Amino acid sequence: MSSAEHHETTVSRLCNFHITFFAIVLGLAGFTLAVQKAAGLLHNLHPASTVLLFVTVALFCLVGVIYLYKGLRCPGAIAKEVNHPIKINFFPLVAKILLVVSVVLLERNMTASYYSWLVGTVLQFIASIYIITEWLQHDRFKIEHMTPGWFIPIVGSIIIPIAGVKHGFVELSWFFFSVGLIFWLILLVIVLYRMFFHAPIAEKLMPTLFILFAPPAIGFIAYVRLTGGGLDAFGRILYYFSLFMFFLVLYSLPRLLKIRFYLSWWAYSFPMAAKALASFLMLSLVSSPFISFIAWFELALLTLIILVLTYKTVQAISRNEICVED
């Protein structure tokens, strides 16, 4: 390959460095938080959570720098993603990463947690306003474009209270929780309608089914934080609905494992982390052998998912199967 061809190939791969790469960082951030919370019960996990935090932050910086460089070299490619009916929903991943990291840092550095939460909250608000406006004033969206990935722009709003209450922003946290919860219910109805009565979701986007149980799981954690750490009927409804959706999606896992690897497989990771975190919180509120089994099973499954996804991603990169034209 000549130097000119090599340069052209490099630029092409850079232009195809999609926004979905941030899903890898979000998955690792969720895994870091899950391991950190499990360390409260199994203390020898503390060093692992610290290592995972450094890896997550380093990867976040790396992906961020590459994507910013893409913006300089291929501004048209980013504009194309923003105008894409599915990829536009992945831009709030940056805000979600900052919000999850802010929760991780609550037990480590309150100042760093505060600024991570603050930037994440501002970005989440801007992304929510922009994307929901696009939904309302669209001329390109069709029902076939609807997948559980559409939850991404609003799930970040539900994450905000988890650290927001600790930082003293109680009413602001209620504001975002309300927005996220109501839009989740609205989108849930539309997603189920689309899945019941229209063509199946494309194979490449099938892993987004895991996102179905993420909003109620995160909502449960946020609601417990907002109400002072207790457990009431609504909290139970959120947790057990997320548990049912988890079982429902788990039933489809053999079918999901048959599809070829795409970066969208990383959609398995963060929802699984959210579900494990919800179960460990539930375990701290209810002494139940069943909940204990569920919590540790989910953490074990999450660990397996992260290991498999990491291996598959490295393998795909080595084979030049990543950063190619859709």
Side-chain angles (χ1 to χ4, degrees), residues 81-138:
E81 286 186 296
V82 172
N83 292 316
H84 193 279
I86 295 175
K87 290 179 182 177
I88 185 177
N89 298 305
F90 288 89
F91 280 88
L93 286 174
V94 177
K96 289 177 68 176
I97 292 166
L98 290 169
L99 292 170
V100 174
V101 168
S102 75
V103 180
V104 176
L105 293 173
L106 280 175
E107 300 177 9
R108 299 169 181 269
N109 187 318
M110 284 293 286
T111 301
S113 172
Y114 170 76
Y115 285 109
S116 181
W117 177 86
L118 183 63
V119 176
T121 298
V122 171
L123 291 178
Q124 175 62 36
F125 180 73
I126 294 172
S128 297
I129 292 293
Y130 178 79
I131 293 175
I132 293 174
T133 300
E134 287 294 298
W135 291 346
L136 294 172
Q137 300 178 359
H138 77 90

Side-chain angles (χ1 to χ4, degrees), residues 12-67:
S12 175
R13 293 178 67 81
L14 176 65
C15 293
N16 287 301
F17 187 87
H18 298 311
I19 189 68
T20 48
F21 267 90
F22 283 101
I24 300 176
V25 185
L26 181 62
L28 289 177
F31 183 47
T32 301
L33 184 56
V35 171
Q36 179 173 288
K37 293 303 178 184
L41 300 173
L42 202 61
H43 297 295
N44 57 359
L45 290 177
H46 278 296
S49 67
T50 300
V51 171
L52 284 170
L53 176 59
F54 283 116
V55 171
T56 299
V57 172
L59 186 61
F60 185 33
C61 294
L62 176 62
V63 173
V65 168
I66 295 175
Y67 200 78

Side-chain angles (χ1 to χ4, degrees), residues 1-323:
M1 181 184 294
S2 67
S3 59
E5 290 175 332
H6 178 73
H7 176 73
E8 184 178 343
T9 300
T10 301
V11 172
S12 175
R13 293 178 67 81
L14 176 65
C15 293
N16 287 301
F17 187 87
H18 298 311
I19 189 68
T20 48
F21 267 90
F22 283 101
I24 300 176
V25 185
L26 181 62
L28 289 177
F31 183 47
T32 301
L33 184 56
V35 171
Q36 179 173 288
K37 293 303 178 184
L41 300 173
L42 202 61
H43 297 295
N44 57 359
L45 290 177
H46 278 296
S49 67
T50 300
V51 171
L52 284 170
L53 176 59
F54 283 116
V55 171
T56 299
V57 172
L59 186 61
F60 185 33
C61 294
L62 176 62
V63 173
V65 168
I66 295 175
Y67 200 78
L68 287 174
Y69 184 57
K70 169 186 172 177
L72 295 174
R73 296 297 302 272
C74 315
I78 291 184
K80 188 176 179 181
E81 286 186 296
V82 172
N83 292 316
H84 193 279
I86 295 175
K87 290 179 182 177
I88 185 177
N89 298 305
F90 288 89
F91 280 88
L93 286 174
V94 177
K96 289 177 68 176
I97 292 166
L98 290 169
L99 292 170
V100 174
V101 168
S102 75
V103 180
V104 176
L105 293 173
L106 280 175
E107 300 177 9
R108 299 169 181 269
N109 187 318
M110 284 293 286
T111 301
S113 172
Y114 170 76
Y115 285 109
S116 181
W117 177 86
L118 183 63
V119 176
T121 298
V122 171
L123 291 178
Q124 175 62 36
F125 180 73
I126 294 172
S128 297
I129 292 293
Y130 178 79
I131 293 175
I132 293 174
T133 300
E134 287 294 298
W135 291 346
L136 294 172
Q137 300 178 359
H138 77 90
D139 58 0
R140 64 189 185 279
F141 298 135
K142 299 179 181 179
I143 191 68
E144 290 79 12
H145 296 147
M146 169 64 77
T147 72
W150 282 47
F151 290 138
I152 294 173
I154 55 94
V155 169
S157 295
I158 307 177
I159 299 175
I160 287 173
I162 301 176
V165 171
K166 289 283 188 179
H167 291 301
F169 296 92
V170 177
E171 292 304 316
L172 187 62
S173 294
W174 273 110
F175 167 79
F176 281 104
F177 178 77
S178 303
V179 171
L181 190 69
I182 298 301
F183 269 100
W184 163 60
L185 292 172
I186 294 169
L187 291 175
L188 178 63
V189 173
I190 301 174
V191 167
L192 292 180
Y193 166 77
R194 180 257 187 274
M195 294 175 67
F196 288 168
F197 301 112
H198 291 267
I201 294 175
E203 179 186 89
K204 187 174 184 178
L205 297 172
M206 286 293 288
T208 62
L209 290 176
F210 265 58
I211 302 175
L212 285 171
F213 56 77
I218 299 170
F220 167 69
I221 299 169
Y223 181 73
V224 170
R225 293 288 180 262
L226 285 165
T227 55
L231 181 63
D232 60 17
F234 186 64
R236 284 184 167 90
I237 290 171
L238 288 172
Y239 176 77
Y240 287 116
F241 182 71
S242 73
L243 184 60
F244 173 77
M245 296 303 287
F246 171 66
F247 288 145
L248 187 66
V249 173
L250 205 62
Y251 183 76
S252 301
L253 192 57
R255 181 162 57 99
L256 294 174
L257 292 176
K258 293 179 182 179
I259 67 176
R260 59 170 293 192
F261 177 76
Y262 301 97
L263 272 184
S264 59
W265 273 37
W266 279 93
Y268 295 139
S269 57
F270 180 71
M272 196 66 247
K275 186 66 191 67
L277 286 163
S279 292
F280 277 110
L281 177 57
M282 189 68 170
L283 182 60
S284 71
L285 300 171
V286 176
S287 180
S288 166
F290 172 70
I291 299 298
S292 178
F293 169 78
I294 289 294
W296 289 106
F297 169 75
E298 290 170 348
L299 181 62
L301 181 57
L302 170 62
T303 304
L304 178 62
I305 287 172
I306 292 294
L307 290 174
V308 171
L309 290 179
T310 301
Y311 170 75
K312 287 283 190 179
T313 303
V314 172
Q315 185 182 57
I317 291 173
S318 67
R319 294 176 177 176
N320 294 324
E321 297 173 350
I322 300 293
C323 299

